């Protein structure tokens, strides 16, 4: 069971985002039905009753559009939260990789201070010497791999931060649209 007050996981956020997406699709189907109803009413109904029916359908359509915008706002909030969690995870991974890289570089520096002759004299068996050289080569590869991974993670972080900024802009547009839709709904009530 989730801990009360615990932050949602990325998977939980994805699930909530999917729920909002499904709800938006359902509401978009409702709007299409209202649109068709409006087209039918415009062709078949005339007079005061037709106008009342058209206004009622328009009101329902507008209410549904408001629900869509509210769901889009909620979904965008969740997407921002998910991206923020992903950025935090990548930041932690970068920190861990930097620590690993620093340790590898310290070890490399320690070993690099010894000359090849000193290394050979430290190992009475030639096989031990070759084993040490293999370990040095493996350490060098590990350092190179960590550097490549750090570059990749930094690029991913930049993309994620850019994506977050885009989502924040989308959220601002959706909130403006919601305010406009609510104002229009109020005007239609009058």
């Amino acid at each position: 069971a989730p801990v009360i007050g615990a932050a949602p996981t990325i998977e939980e956020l994805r699930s909530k985002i999917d729920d909002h997406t499904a709800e938006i699709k359902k509401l978009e189907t409702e709007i299409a039905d209202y649109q068709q109803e409006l087209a039918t009413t415009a062709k078949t109904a005339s007079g005061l009753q037709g106008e009342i029916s058209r206004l009622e359908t328009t009101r329902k359509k507008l209410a549904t559009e408001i629900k869509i915008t509210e769901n889009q706002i909620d979904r965008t909030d969740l997407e921002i939260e998910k991206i923020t969690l992903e950025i935090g995870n990548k930041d932690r991974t970068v920190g861990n990789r930097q620590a690993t890289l620093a340790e590898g570089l310290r070890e490399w520096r320690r070993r690099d201070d010894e000359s090849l002759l000193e290394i050979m004299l430290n190992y009475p068996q030639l096989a031990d010497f070759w084993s040490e050289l293999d370990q040095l080569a493996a350490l060098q590869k590990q350092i190179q791999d960590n550097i490549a991974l750090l570059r990749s993670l930094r690029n991913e972080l930049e993309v994620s931060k850019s994506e977050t900024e885009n989502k924040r802009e989308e959220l601002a547009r959706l909130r403006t649209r919601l305010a406009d839709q609510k104002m229009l709904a109020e005007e239609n009530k009058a």
Side-chain angles (χ1 to χ4, degrees), residues 8-22 24-25 68-88 90 159-175:
T9 65
I10 291 173
E11 286 306 313
E12 290 170 337
L13 290 171
R14 279 188 185 126
S15 175
K16 289 178 182 180
I17 290 167
D18 291 344
D19 291 347
H20 281 286
T21 300
I24 289 168
K25 286 181 181 179
I68 285 177
T69 303
E70 289 171 341
N71 269 282
Q72 288 171 330
I73 288 170
D74 291 344
R75 180 179 66 188
T76 303
D77 276 335
L78 291 168
E79 288 170 342
I80 290 170
E81 189 176 349
K82 179 181 80 67
I83 293 168
T84 302
L85 281 176
E86 290 170 342
I87 288 171
K90 287 176 187 170
V159 168
S160 293
K161 287 176 181 178
S162 175
E163 187 179 348
T164 300
E165 186 57 37
N166 291 340
K167 291 293 180 183
R168 289 184 200 282
E169 289 170 7
E170 179 183 347
L171 188 59
R173 283 191 302 274
L174 287 169
R175 287 188 171 140

Coordinates of all heavy atoms in Angstrom, one line a residue, residues 8-22 24-25 68-88 90 159-175:
P8 N 4.1 10.3 -5.8 CA 3.8 9.2 -6.7 C 5.0 8.8 -7.6 O 5.9 9.6 -7.8 CB 2.7 9.8 -7.6 CG 2.9 11.3 -7.5 CD 3.5 11.5 -6.1
T9 N 5.0 7.6 -8.0 CA 6.1 7.1 -8.9 C 5.9 7.5 -10.3 O 4.7 7.9 -10.7 CB 6.2 5.6 -8.8 OG1 5.1 5.0 -9.4 CG2 6.4 5.1 -7.4
I10 N 6.9 7.4 -11.1 CA 6.7 7.7 -12.5 C 5.7 6.8 -13.2 O 4.8 7.3 -14.0 CB 8.1 7.6 -13.2 CG1 9.0 8.7 -12.8 CG2 7.9 7.6 -14.8 CD1 10.5 8.5 -13.2
E11 N 5.6 5.6 -12.8 CA 4.6 4.7 -13.4 C 3.2 5.1 -12.9 O 2.3 5.0 -13.7 CB 4.9 3.2 -13.0 CG 6.0 2.6 -13.7 CD 5.9 2.7 -15.2 OE1 4.8 2.4 -15.8 OE2 6.9 3.1 -15.9
E12 N 3.0 5.5 -11.7 CA 1.7 5.9 -11.2 C 1.3 7.2 -12.0 O 0.1 7.3 -12.4 CB 1.8 6.2 -9.7 CG 1.9 5.0 -8.9 CD 2.2 5.3 -7.4 OE1 2.7 6.4 -7.1 OE2 1.9 4.4 -6.6
L13 N 2.2 8.1 -12.2 CA 1.9 9.3 -13.0 C 1.6 8.9 -14.4 O 0.6 9.5 -15.0 CB 3.1 10.2 -13.0 CG 3.4 10.9 -11.6 CD1 4.7 11.7 -11.6 CD2 2.2 11.8 -11.2
R14 N 2.3 8.0 -15.0 CA 2.0 7.6 -16.4 C 0.5 7.0 -16.5 O -0.2 7.3 -17.4 CB 2.9 6.5 -16.9 CG 4.2 7.1 -17.4 CD 5.1 6.0 -18.1 NE 6.4 6.6 -18.4 CZ 7.5 6.1 -18.1 NH1 7.6 5.0 -17.4 NH2 8.6 6.7 -18.4
S15 N 0.2 6.3 -15.5 CA -1.2 5.7 -15.4 C -2.2 6.8 -15.3 O -3.3 6.7 -16.0 CB -1.3 4.7 -14.2 OG -2.6 4.2 -14.1
K16 N -2.0 7.8 -14.5 CA -2.9 8.9 -14.3 C -3.0 9.7 -15.6 O -4.1 10.1 -16.0 CB -2.5 9.8 -13.2 CG -2.7 9.2 -11.8 CD -2.2 10.1 -10.7 CE -2.4 9.4 -9.3 NZ -1.9 10.3 -8.3
I17 N -1.9 9.9 -16.3 CA -1.8 10.6 -17.6 C -2.7 9.8 -18.6 O -3.5 10.4 -19.3 CB -0.4 10.8 -18.0 CG1 0.3 11.8 -17.2 CG2 -0.4 11.2 -19.5 CD1 1.8 11.8 -17.3
D18 N -2.5 8.5 -18.6 CA -3.3 7.7 -19.5 C -4.8 7.8 -19.2 O -5.6 7.8 -20.1 CB -2.8 6.2 -19.5 CG -1.4 6.0 -20.1 OD1 -0.9 6.9 -20.8 OD2 -0.8 4.9 -19.8
D19 N -5.1 7.8 -17.9 CA -6.6 7.9 -17.6 C -7.1 9.3 -18.1 O -8.2 9.3 -18.6 CB -6.7 7.9 -16.0 CG -6.4 6.5 -15.4 OD1 -6.3 5.5 -16.2 OD2 -6.3 6.4 -14.2
H20 N -6.4 10.3 -17.9 CA -6.9 11.6 -18.4 C -7.0 11.6 -20.0 O -7.9 12.2 -20.5 CB -5.9 12.8 -18.0 CG -6.2 13.2 -16.6 ND1 -7.3 13.9 -16.2 CD2 -5.5 13.0 -15.4 CE1 -7.2 14.1 -14.9 NE2 -6.1 13.5 -14.4
T21 N -6.0 11.0 -20.6 CA -6.1 10.9 -22.1 C -7.3 10.2 -22.5 O -8.0 10.6 -23.5 CB -4.8 10.2 -22.6 OG1 -3.6 11.0 -22.2 CG2 -4.8 10.1 -24.1
A22 N -7.6 9.1 -21.8 CA -8.8 8.3 -22.2 C -10.1 9.1 -21.9 O -11.0 9.1 -22.8 CB -8.9 7.0 -21.4
I24 N -10.3 12.4 -22.0 CA -10.4 13.4 -23.1 C -10.9 12.8 -24.4 O -11.8 13.5 -25.0 CB -9.0 14.0 -23.3 CG1 -8.6 14.9 -22.1 CG2 -8.9 14.8 -24.6 CD1 -7.1 15.3 -22.0
K25 N -10.5 11.6 -24.7 CA -11.0 11.0 -25.9 C -12.5 10.8 -25.8 O -13.3 11.0 -26.8 CB -10.3 9.7 -26.2 CG -8.9 9.9 -26.8 CD -8.2 8.6 -27.1 CE -6.8 8.9 -27.6 NZ -6.0 7.7 -27.8
I68 N -12.9 19.0 -21.1 CA -11.7 18.6 -21.8 C -10.6 19.4 -21.4 O -9.5 18.9 -21.1 CB -12.0 18.7 -23.3 CG1 -12.9 17.5 -23.8 CG2 -10.7 18.7 -24.1 CD1 -13.2 17.5 -25.3
T69 N -10.8 20.7 -21.4 CA -9.7 21.6 -21.0 C -9.2 21.4 -19.6 O -8.0 21.4 -19.3 CB -10.1 23.1 -21.2 OG1 -10.6 23.3 -22.6 CG2 -9.0 24.1 -20.9
E70 N -10.1 21.1 -18.7 CA -9.7 20.8 -17.3 C -8.9 19.5 -17.3 O -7.9 19.5 -16.6 CB -11.0 20.7 -16.4 CG -11.6 22.1 -16.1 CD -13.0 22.0 -15.5 OE1 -13.6 20.9 -15.5 OE2 -13.4 23.0 -14.9
N71 N -9.3 18.5 -18.0 CA -8.6 17.3 -18.1 C -7.2 17.5 -18.7 O -6.2 16.9 -18.3 CB -9.3 16.2 -18.9 CG -10.2 15.4 -18.0 OD1 -9.7 14.5 -17.3 ND2 -11.5 15.7 -18.0
Q72 N -7.1 18.3 -19.7 CA -5.8 18.6 -20.4 C -4.9 19.4 -19.4 O -3.7 19.1 -19.4 CB -6.1 19.5 -21.6 CG -6.7 18.7 -22.8 CD -7.1 19.6 -23.9 OE1 -7.4 20.8 -23.8 NE2 -7.0 19.0 -25.1
I73 N -5.5 20.2 -18.6 CA -4.7 20.9 -17.6 C -4.2 19.9 -16.5 O -3.0 19.9 -16.2 CB -5.5 22.0 -16.9 CG1 -5.7 23.2 -17.8 CG2 -4.9 22.5 -15.6 CD1 -6.7 24.3 -17.3
D74 N -5.1 19.0 -16.1 CA -4.6 18.0 -15.1 C -3.6 17.1 -15.7 O -2.6 16.8 -15.0 CB -5.8 17.2 -14.6 CG -6.8 18.0 -13.8 OD1 -6.4 19.1 -13.3 OD2 -8.0 17.5 -13.6
R75 N -3.8 16.7 -16.9 CA -2.8 15.8 -17.6 C -1.5 16.5 -17.8 O -0.4 15.9 -17.5 CB -3.3 15.4 -19.0 CG -2.4 14.4 -19.7 CD -2.9 14.0 -21.0 NE -3.0 15.2 -21.9 CZ -3.6 15.1 -23.1 NH1 -4.1 14.0 -23.6 NH2 -3.6 16.2 -23.9
T76 N -1.5 17.8 -18.1 CA -0.2 18.5 -18.3 C 0.5 18.7 -17.0 O 1.7 18.6 -16.9 CB -0.5 19.9 -19.0 OG1 -1.2 19.6 -20.2 CG2 0.8 20.6 -19.3
D77 N -0.3 19.0 -15.9 CA 0.3 19.0 -14.6 C 1.0 17.7 -14.2 O 2.2 17.7 -13.7 CB -0.7 19.3 -13.5 CG -1.1 20.8 -13.4 OD1 -0.2 21.6 -13.7 OD2 -2.2 21.1 -12.9
L78 N 0.4 16.6 -14.5 CA 1.0 15.3 -14.2 C 2.2 15.1 -15.1 O 3.2 14.5 -14.6 CB -0.1 14.2 -14.5 CG -1.2 14.1 -13.5 CD1 -2.3 13.2 -14.0 CD2 -0.7 13.7 -12.1
E79 N 2.1 15.5 -16.4 CA 3.3 15.3 -17.2 C 4.5 16.1 -16.7 O 5.6 15.6 -16.7 CB 3.0 15.7 -18.7 CG 2.0 14.8 -19.4 CD 1.4 15.3 -20.7 OE1 1.5 16.5 -20.9 OE2 1.0 14.4 -21.5
I80 N 4.2 17.3 -16.2 CA 5.3 18.1 -15.7 C 5.9 17.4 -14.4 O 7.1 17.4 -14.2 CB 4.8 19.6 -15.3 CG1 4.5 20.3 -16.6 CG2 5.8 20.3 -14.4 CD1 3.8 21.7 -16.4
E81 N 5.0 16.9 -13.6 CA 5.5 16.2 -12.4 C 6.3 15.0 -12.8 O 7.3 14.7 -12.2 CB 4.2 15.8 -11.6 CG 4.6 15.3 -10.2 CD 3.4 14.9 -9.3 OE1 2.2 15.3 -9.7 OE2 3.5 14.3 -8.3
K82 N 5.9 14.2 -13.8 CA 6.6 13.1 -14.2 C 8.0 13.4 -14.8 O 9.0 12.8 -14.4 CB 5.8 12.3 -15.3 CG 6.5 11.1 -15.9 CD 5.7 10.4 -16.9 CE 5.8 11.0 -18.3 NZ 7.0 11.0 -19.0
I83 N 8.0 14.5 -15.6 CA 9.3 14.9 -16.1 C 10.2 15.4 -15.0 O 11.4 15.1 -15.0 CB 9.1 16.0 -17.2 CG1 8.4 15.5 -18.4 CG2 10.4 16.6 -17.6 CD1 7.8 16.5 -19.4
T84 N 9.7 16.1 -14.0 CA 10.5 16.5 -12.9 C 11.0 15.4 -12.1 O 12.2 15.4 -11.7 CB 9.6 17.4 -12.0 OG1 9.1 18.5 -12.7 CG2 10.4 17.9 -10.8
L85 N 10.3 14.3 -11.9 CA 10.8 13.1 -11.3 C 11.9 12.5 -12.1 O 12.9 12.0 -11.6 CB 9.7 12.1 -11.1 CG 8.7 12.3 -9.9 CD1 7.6 11.2 -9.9 CD2 9.5 12.3 -8.6
E86 N 11.7 12.4 -13.4 CA 12.7 11.8 -14.3 C 14.0 12.6 -14.3 O 15.1 12.1 -14.3 CB 12.2 11.7 -15.8 CG 11.1 10.7 -15.9 CD 10.4 10.8 -17.3 OE1 10.5 11.8 -18.0 OE2 9.7 9.8 -17.6
I87 N 13.9 14.0 -14.2 CA 15.0 14.8 -14.1 C 15.8 14.5 -12.8 O 17.0 14.4 -12.8 CB 14.7 16.3 -14.2 CG1 14.3 16.6 -15.7 CG2 15.8 17.2 -13.7 CD1 13.7 18.0 -15.8
G88 N 15.0 14.4 -11.7 CA 15.6 14.1 -10.4 C 16.4 12.7 -10.5 O 17.5 12.6 -9.9
K90 N 17.7 11.3 -13.1 CA 18.9 11.5 -14.0 C 19.9 12.3 -13.2 O 21.1 12.0 -13.3 CB 18.5 12.2 -15.3 CG 17.7 11.3 -16.2 CD 17.3 12.0 -17.5 CE 16.4 11.1 -18.3 NZ 15.7 11.7 -19.4
V159 N 17.2 18.0 -22.7 CA 16.0 17.7 -23.4 C 14.8 17.7 -22.4 O 13.7 18.3 -22.7 CB 16.1 16.4 -24.2 CG1 14.7 16.0 -24.7 CG2 17.1 16.5 -25.3
S160 N 15.0 17.1 -21.3 CA 13.9 17.0 -20.3 C 13.5 18.4 -19.8 O 12.4 18.7 -19.6 CB 14.3 16.1 -19.1 OG 14.4 14.8 -19.6
K161 N 14.5 19.2 -19.5 CA 14.3 20.5 -19.0 C 13.6 21.4 -20.1 O 12.7 22.2 -19.7 CB 15.6 21.2 -18.6 CG 16.1 20.6 -17.3 CD 17.5 21.1 -16.9 CE 17.9 20.5 -15.6 NZ 19.2 20.9 -15.1
S162 N 13.9 21.2 -21.3 CA 13.3 21.9 -22.4 C 11.8 21.5 -22.5 O 10.9 22.3 -22.7 CB 14.0 21.7 -23.7 OG 13.3 22.2 -24.8
E163 N 11.6 20.2 -22.4 CA 10.3 19.6 -22.4 C 9.4 20.1 -21.3 O 8.2 20.5 -21.5 CB 10.3 18.1 -22.4 CG 9.0 17.4 -22.6 CD 9.2 15.8 -22.5 OE1 10.3 15.3 -22.6 OE2 8.1 15.2 -22.5
T164 N 10.0 20.3 -20.1 CA 9.3 20.8 -19.0 C 8.8 22.3 -19.3 O 7.7 22.6 -19.0 CB 10.2 20.8 -17.7 OG1 10.5 19.4 -17.4 CG2 9.4 21.4 -16.5
E165 N 9.7 23.0 -19.8 CA 9.4 24.4 -20.2 C 8.3 24.5 -21.2 O 7.3 25.3 -21.1 CB 10.6 25.2 -20.7 CG 10.4 26.6 -20.9 CD 10.0 27.4 -19.7 OE1 10.4 27.1 -18.6 OE2 9.1 28.3 -19.8
N166 N 8.3 23.6 -22.2 CA 7.2 23.5 -23.2 C 5.9 23.2 -22.5 O 4.9 23.7 -22.9 CB 7.6 22.6 -24.3 CG 8.7 23.0 -25.2 OD1 9.0 24.2 -25.2 ND2 9.3 22.1 -25.9
K167 N 5.9 22.2 -21.6 CA 4.7 21.8 -20.9 C 4.2 23.0 -20.0 O 3.0 23.2 -20.0 CB 5.0 20.6 -20.0 CG 5.2 19.3 -20.8 CD 4.0 18.9 -21.6 CE 4.2 17.6 -22.4 NZ 3.0 17.2 -23.2
R168 N 5.0 23.7 -19.4 CA 4.6 24.9 -18.6 C 3.9 25.9 -19.5 O 2.9 26.5 -19.1 CB 5.8 25.5 -17.9 CG 6.3 24.6 -16.7 CD 7.4 25.3 -15.9 NE 8.2 24.3 -15.2 CZ 7.8 23.8 -14.0 NH1 6.7 24.1 -13.5 NH2 8.6 22.9 -13.4
E169 N 4.5 26.1 -20.7 CA 3.8 27.1 -21.6 C 2.5 26.6 -22.1 O 1.5 27.3 -22.2 CB 4.8 27.3 -22.8 CG 6.0 28.1 -22.5 CD 7.0 28.1 -23.6 OE1 6.8 27.6 -24.7 OE2 8.1 28.6 -23.4
E170 N 2.4 25.2 -22.4 CA 1.1 24.6 -22.7 C 0.1 24.8 -21.6 O -1.1 25.1 -21.9 CB 1.3 23.1 -23.1 CG 0.1 22.4 -23.4 CD 0.3 20.9 -23.7 OE1 1.5 20.5 -23.8 OE2 -0.7 20.2 -23.7
L171 N 0.6 24.6 -20.4 CA -0.3 24.7 -19.2 C -0.9 26.2 -19.2 O -2.1 26.3 -18.9 CB 0.5 24.4 -18.0 CG -0.3 24.3 -16.7 CD1 -1.4 23.2 -16.8 CD2 0.6 23.9 -15.5
A172 N 0.0 27.1 -19.4 CA -0.5 28.5 -19.3 C -1.5 28.8 -20.4 O -2.6 29.4 -20.2 CB 0.7 29.5 -19.5
R173 N -1.3 28.2 -21.6 CA -2.3 28.4 -22.7 C -3.6 27.7 -22.4 O -4.7 28.3 -22.6 CB -1.8 27.8 -24.0 CG -0.7 28.7 -24.7 CD -0.4 28.2 -26.1 NE 0.1 26.8 -26.2 CZ 1.3 26.5 -26.0 NH1 2.3 27.4 -25.8 NH2 1.7 25.2 -26.1
L174 N -3.5 26.5 -21.8 CA -4.8 25.8 -21.4 C -5.5 26.5 -20.3 O -6.8 26.6 -20.4 CB -4.4 24.4 -20.9 CG -4.0 23.4 -22.0 CD1 -3.4 22.1 -21.4 CD2 -5.1 23.1 -22.9
R175 N -4.8 27.1 -19.4 CA -5.5 27.9 -18.3 C -6.2 29.1 -18.9 O -7.3 29.5 -18.5 CB -4.5 28.2 -17.2 CG -4.2 27.0 -16.4 CD -3.4 27.4 -15.2 NE -3.2 26.2 -14.3 CZ -2.2 25.8 -13.7 NH1 -1.1 26.6 -13.8 NH2 -2.1 24.7 -13.0

